Amino acid sequence: MDPKYPGVTDTIINMGDCWDTSLLAQRKEEIISITLQNSSMHQRSKRYLSACGALYEDTIRVSQGSVNEKKAVNFASNLSKRFFGGKSSGRRGNEKVRLLSGITPEGLVYFEDTISSQCDNVYFIEDEYNAVGSLLLTELKGHALDAGLDVVGCYCPIDPLHKMDALLIPSIDLAFAVTNSWQPLSSIEPYRTIHARRFIDNSLLSTRRQRLSFNRKTQRILLNESIAYLAMAKAIHDQLEFLYADCMDYSKADDIYEKIIAEILAR
């Protein structure tokens, strides 16, 4: 985080003052080599993830072509009237944006327990091809905000600017979450399940299943490759951390700690 008002309300603590630069200089070539290797692994991971994202976007576009959007929007509107109809505080609600899932060196991680810990009543939106889920969540979010409810919008790490994975409304103990083979949410017992197929023209979708199946299989391969390179980058970064930890003057770190504590207590 960069300081908003440096030296006024925010203070920069430079732990780089604790480096033993003479020891670091002795390991210059090794540090440069490892840093470049780490950067290379990250760049490869990003390229695979970018390719996976392109297929992901293609899958959504192909599947959305089979969706009765008007029916989905009307469904979200009726559901909103049921849950949010009598909720009006005279103000528009606020949205907090959060990520429940992430692509990590350990694989695809989804903190689904957060959903059930925040809301007892969870509606699943079963949507294998991500055709309807994000549309329903976006519509529900708009209605909830109009009703003055504060919400938590949880977005997809592959497409965080556009696609929602879950919508939490803690004040009324209600959540909606997309579930499929990518995010099965197996630890949650749903209150109700909304099936995406009710909004989809199956005969139209069936003509596109071969393409969708290819996309899904290839996405898995690309995502696994991206994760593999992330794991390599993590292993390399661990080497770098070990080198720097070995070249720290921890007595200087203790001095900085004591100085900060003294300044806080003096206030």
Side-chain angles (χ1 to χ4, degrees):
M1 295 175 65
D2 289 326
K4 189 174 183 180
Y5 305 110
V8 181
T9 60
D10 305 318
T11 301
I12 297 172
I13 302 167
N14 181 19
M15 300 305 291
D17 287 341
C18 304
W19 293 331
D20 187 326
T21 52
S22 62
L23 283 177
L24 286 172
Q26 295 173 28
R27 300 183 174 185
K28 173 184 174 182
E29 297 302 325
E30 187 179 5
I31 288 172
I32 290 174
S33 174
I34 292 174
T35 300
L36 291 175
Q37 289 177 51
N38 182 56
S39 177
S40 175
M41 294 299 105
H42 274 291
Q43 290 304 317
R44 290 181 190 180
S45 176
K46 287 178 183 178
R47 286 194 288 271
Y48 278 108
L49 194 57
S50 177
C52 179
L55 283 179
Y56 186 78
E57 183 180 344
D58 183 67
T59 293
I60 292 174
R61 288 185 177 181
V62 170
S63 58
Q64 282 179 341
S66 309
V67 173
N68 185 330
E69 188 172 322
K70 183 179 179 181
K71 185 177 180 181
V73 169
N74 287 339
F75 177 83
S77 177
N78 291 331
L79 203 59
S80 297
K81 288 174 184 175
R82 175 182 169 187
F83 289 116
F84 319 142
K87 315 284 184 185
S88 182
S89 59
R91 70 168 183 93
R92 182 170 172 80
N94 294 313
E95 178 189 12
K96 290 181 180 178
V97 175
R98 298 289 185 266
L99 289 171
L100 283 178
S101 59
I103 297 153
T104 79
E106 287 76 37
L108 185 61
V109 175
Y110 197 114
F111 289 102
E112 58 192 75
D113 289 349
T114 300
I115 300 174
S116 51
S117 70
Q118 295 290 310
C119 306
D120 288 333
N121 302 308
V122 183
Y123 272 72
F124 279 5
I125 303 172
E126 196 174 69
D127 188 7
E128 185 59 35
Y129 298 111
N130 297 295
V132 183
S134 189
L135 170 63
L136 289 176
L137 290 175
T138 301
E139 289 293 318
L140 289 165
K141 179 187 78 172
H143 289 298
L145 293 174
D146 288 342
L149 294 168
D150 295 332
V151 306
V152 181
C154 306
Y155 291 79
C156 171
I158 295 179
D159 188 10
L161 297 180
H162 305 103
K163 182 183 174 296
M164 291 184 72
D165 278 343
L167 177 70
L168 313 184
I169 315 173
S171 63
I172 58 172
D173 216 14
L174 182 66
F176 300 89
V178 175
T179 179
N180 48 44
S181 59
W182 293 85
Q183 46 201 43
L185 308 185
S186 53
S187 71
I188 301 175
E189 183 66 35
Y191 178 70
R192 292 280 190 279
T193 298
I194 302 165
H195 298 281
R197 60 177 178 268
R198 66 189 294 179
F199 310 107
I200 293 174
D201 183 333
N202 245 344
S203 59
L204 190 55
L205 186 66
S206 63
T207 64
R208 303 168 179 179
R209 287 195 194 280
Q210 187 173 355
R211 179 173 169 185
L212 292 171
S213 177
F214 169 82
N215 281 3
R216 182 163 54 182
K217 289 176 183 177
T218 310
Q219 279 177 258
R220 290 279 186 192
I221 294 169
L222 292 170
L223 184 61
N224 287 338
E225 285 298 308
S226 177
I227 289 167
Y229 279 111
L230 271 183
M232 292 182 211
K234 172 67 166 57
I236 293 169
H237 189 268
D238 287 347
Q239 296 177 41
L240 198 60
E241 281 193 1
F242 177 80
L243 283 173
Y244 272 88
D246 207 33
C247 296
M248 289 285 286
D249 184 339
Y250 287 99
S251 65
K252 288 184 178 180
D254 289 339
D255 290 342
I256 291 173
Y257 167 79
E258 294 296 342
K259 181 175 178 287
I260 294 168
I261 292 298
E263 287 177 357
I264 294 172
L265 293 176
R267 293 176 185 172

